[in-house]
Structure formats: structure tokens, C-alpha cells
Amino acid sequence: MSAVSDRLPAFPWDKLEPYKKTAAAHPDGIVDLSVGTPVDPVPELVQKALIAAADSPGYPTVWGTPALRDAITGWLERRLGAREVTHRHVLPVVGSKELVAWLPTQLGLGPGDRVAFPRLAYPTYEVGARLARADHEAYSLTPGADAPGPTELDPEGLKLLWLNSPSNPTGQVLAKDELTRIVAWAREHGVLLVSDECYLELGWEADPVSVLHPEVNGGSYDGIVAVHSLSKRSNLAGYRAAFLAGDPAVLGPLLEIRKHGGMMTSAPTQAAAVAALGDDTHVHEQRERYAARRTALRDALLAHGFRIEHSEASLYLWATRDESCWSTVAHLAERGILVAPGDFYGPAGEKFVRVAFTATDERVAAAVRRLAE
């Protein structure tokens, strides 16, 4: 066990505990904006679908029910503009974090193989490479930065290229022509491109595009896989419901591996996912809640002396006071507000903090008042 755990970095969130205690001591209580976890109710139609499927004594299938695969393919065509997707093009997974952490291992990567991801990124991309004992490399989406761009990477030994648009933590969105260029480069060099698109339905100042769109991939899913989750768009983080879509030559072997590993989404969760994917109304309603919270926090942070970069999509504001991120964390903790330090997501975030707007309306209003004082 220690041989595996020793490959991993220290769990970053433990470093926040002293600041959490400071924020929790505020007379009006803590406003926790450090984690992007949904706080609003699970849509009623989803709850009803889960309850209706509660009597599920048998084992679920790893591939999912035909109804779930129909719901996924229908959503891909309706919401992402994907074309000619079949059941062979989709695979349910037990939440997207599990997939991100174990994908390099399930792909058979190991020492000598390389995994690349953005230099400001969800830490689990690096964790996945470490678990597989593969090498890892960060790339930059900013011209002139101290890291190569995704199409400037050395393709030798590069087996997996992660994209994340909209980005966690920055909210940056890759334009369609940039996505097209990266997909073409990855195919030219035989690099599997996996695009984490879990925030794709949460664009505010940009209209995010999937790598599954035919104008990006030229009508072919060869060499590309997209990752999608119901955690954010449908408040289903507690259900662990996500899926992959893309190249059947990649998903087919993954299905076989996951069958052997028993990596199956529960039957009630599969039924709930069918309901969630078939309804767009609850997504629009949730977007309106987040839009109002985003506007309130953004205005308050700007008035308090912050600068906001990117943040055109996702559930976060990427904010800076041009000081150490930990100084900013301490400054806000003294006001009872807890945020995530930018260096959790890579050294390039050392002067930024990630501010989630997933708190309740009441807690967001409390943060706005405190920032104005």
C-alpha cells in the first residue's frame, strides 16, 4: 500500500485547515467558496427516477442499460452537435474523478510513457499519471509562457494529452479553431486526446464547443474521447454519474477492463441519469442561479480590489490581488470567506485564488456584504 501512496503528492486540501478554522470563527459563520460542490436540490424528476428504480436487487451492467446509452447519445446530438453517435461510442463511468485518476493505468501506460495536461489544472490529471508510474508534463495555453503549448510538445513517448475546456480552475474556454488544431496535431502524432468537458454547459462569456463537434473533429471520432459529468449541470455530485464518448477503439477495451474490475454505475443512478439527460429545463434553471451568484461575487471582488482573469465559463472566478495566493487566502479567511489557493492547481497559480460560486444565495450574499465592509 505504501508503495502506491508514496507515488502521490500530499493531499493539498489539508493545507487549508488552519484557514478554514479562522473563517469558521466569524460571528456569522463561514462562507465556504473553496470547493465547487453543488448545494442546490437534486431536480425532482431525477429524485423520482432514482426512487422508482430503488428496487434493483441484481447487478447493473458496466455498459449501462440501453435506455441510458440512448439518453447519452441523444444528449450528445442535441446539446453538443455530435453526429452519428451509437452505443459503441459511449461508456458510463462512476463519476469523472475516478476515470481521470485511473485512465492512464487502464490504458496500460507506465514508465517511459508521458501524460500531458495544462499547467493550471485539476490535480487529478497528475495523480493519474503518478498512479500509472508514467511521466507527466504540463503545457501552457498562454503564448510565451515557460512551458510549451499543446502542439509544441515532443510527441516522442507522449501517449495521453488531456484537454480541459472550460478549465478548472481558470474558466478558460478554447476556441473552436484552437480545438481543431490540437485534434489534428494529436492525430498526426498518434497521441490519444481526452477532453474533460464537465463544465461545457456552464459558459457565461463564451460558448464552449466539444471535441465531438464535427467542425472540430472533421466528422470522425478517431483518437478522441470526451469526458462528461452530471455532477455540475444537474446537481448530481452525490450520485457519481458520468460518461465517456468518442472513439470505439478506445472505449471497447476500456469496457472490457472495467467489466473485470466491477466498475459499474448503480442501477438507480443509471435511471436517474436517464431522467437528467432527457430534461433541459432544470439545467437552465440551475444556470440562472449560478449566473446571479457569479455576478454578485464578481462585482464584489472587483470592488474589493481583485482582478479577474478568464472565468468566461465553469463555476469559478479566477481572481488575484497580485500577491501570494496564501496571503489572499488569509485575507479572506479573516472575513470568514474560504477560497482555494491557486497553487493547488500548479505553480503558475501562485498569485491567484479560485472562488467557487456554488454556495447558497444566503451565503453568497454574506460574502458580498463582508467584501464591502
Side-chain angles (χ1 to χ4, degrees):
M1 288 296 294
S2 63
V4 177
S5 61
D6 287 349
R7 299 176 204 162
L8 305 178
F11 190 63
W13 296 95
D14 293 343
K15 295 171 63 178
L16 261 186
E17 281 304 312
Y19 302 92
K20 187 174 184 178
K21 289 180 180 178
T22 298
H26 191 281
D28 187 36
I30 188 173
V31 178
D32 193 344
L33 308 179
S34 67
V35 183
T37 186
V39 297
D40 298 301
V42 172
E44 186 177 358
L45 83 163
V46 177
Q47 294 188 49
K48 288 181 176 178
L50 184 84
I51 293 168
D55 186 13
S56 298
Y59 290 110
T61 61
V62 175
W63 197 20
T65 62
L68 177 56
R69 299 195 299 272
D70 282 343
I72 294 172
T73 57
W75 180 83
L76 292 169
E77 293 181 350
R78 184 178 78 252
R79 299 293 292 159
L80 304 191
R83 295 290 180 266
E84 299 180 1
V85 283
T86 70
H87 287 189
R88 294 174 57 249
H89 292 94
V90 300
L91 177 62
V93 294
V94 191
S96 59
K97 184 171 185 175
E98 168 262 310
L99 181 281
V100 173
W102 291 108
L103 182 61
T105 298
Q106 292 175 8
L107 292 171
L109 304 191
D113 297 323
R114 288 167 46 239
V115 176
F117 45 80
R119 66 176 187 152
L120 284 169
Y122 186 44
T124 312
Y125 302 133
E126 179 180 337
V127 166
R130 287 177 175 270
L131 285 170
R133 289 186 285 190
D135 297 327
H136 55 86
E137 179 178 359
Y139 64 80
S140 176
L141 295 171
T142 303
D146 56 355
T151 60
E152 298 169 337
L153 294 165
D154 180 359
E156 183 67 29
L158 181 61
K159 299 297 178 67
L160 173 59
L161 174 63
W162 281 105
L163 293 184
N164 181 209
S165 175
S167 163
N168 173 17
T170 70
Q172 183 175 5
V173 173
L174 292 177
K176 186 187 296 182
D177 58 349
E178 179 70 1
L179 285 172
T180 303
R181 188 170 66 86
I182 297 171
V183 167
W185 181 90
R187 284 175 170 165
E188 178 186 354
H189 296 286
V191 178
L192 175 63
L193 186 149
V194 182
S195 180
D196 182 346
E197 302 176 349
C198 290
Y199 296 90
L200 193 132
E201 289 194 280
L202 294 164
W204 311 111
E205 299 168 7
D207 187 13
V209 179
S210 171
V211 296
L212 302 177
H213 196 286
E215 292 182 12
V216 173
N217 61 40
S220 167
Y221 301 115
D222 290 350
I224 59 173
V225 174
V227 183
H228 284 273
S229 169
L230 301 184
S231 294
K232 312 299 186 182
R233 51 95 69 188
S234 297
N235 298 339
L236 297 191
Y239 284 46
R240 310 315 301 135
F243 59 88
L244 305 180
D247 191 345
V250 177
L251 300 190
L254 282 178
L255 173 61
E256 295 305 313
I257 292 166
R258 296 174 70 81
K259 283 180 180 178
H260 283 290
M263 296 176 177
M264 56 189 81
T265 304
S266 75
T269 297
Q270 291 189 34
V274 171
L277 288 167
D279 178 72
D280 295 331
T281 300
H282 76 275
V283 180
H284 296 312
E285 291 172 351
Q286 189 60 44
R287 276 181 53 88
E288 290 178 0
R289 296 186 191 106
Y290 283 141
R293 294 165 186 166
R294 177 182 184 272
T295 297
L297 282 171
R298 182 185 179 93
D299 290 349
L301 287 166
L302 291 173
H304 196 75
F306 281 85
R307 187 176 76 254
I308 308 294
E309 290 194 1
H310 295 301
S311 308
E312 57 258 33
S314 82
L315 293 177
Y316 313 106
L317 294 168
W318 189 237
T320 182
R321 300 204 312 167
D322 294 312
E323 64 183 4
S324 163
C325 59
W326 289 100
S327 296
T328 305
V329 168
H331 171 80
L332 292 174
E334 290 168 359
R335 288 153 180 79
I337 301 169
L338 188 68
V339 298
D343 65 4
F344 277 10
Y345 307 94
E350 64 182 356
K351 292 188 176 181
F352 286 80
V353 293
R354 193 194 73 169
V355 184
F357 42 89
T358 52
T360 64
D361 291 343
E362 184 274 331
R363 288 290 83 188
V364 168
V368 169
R369 287 195 302 272
R370 295 173 194 182
L371 289 168
E373 291 172 355

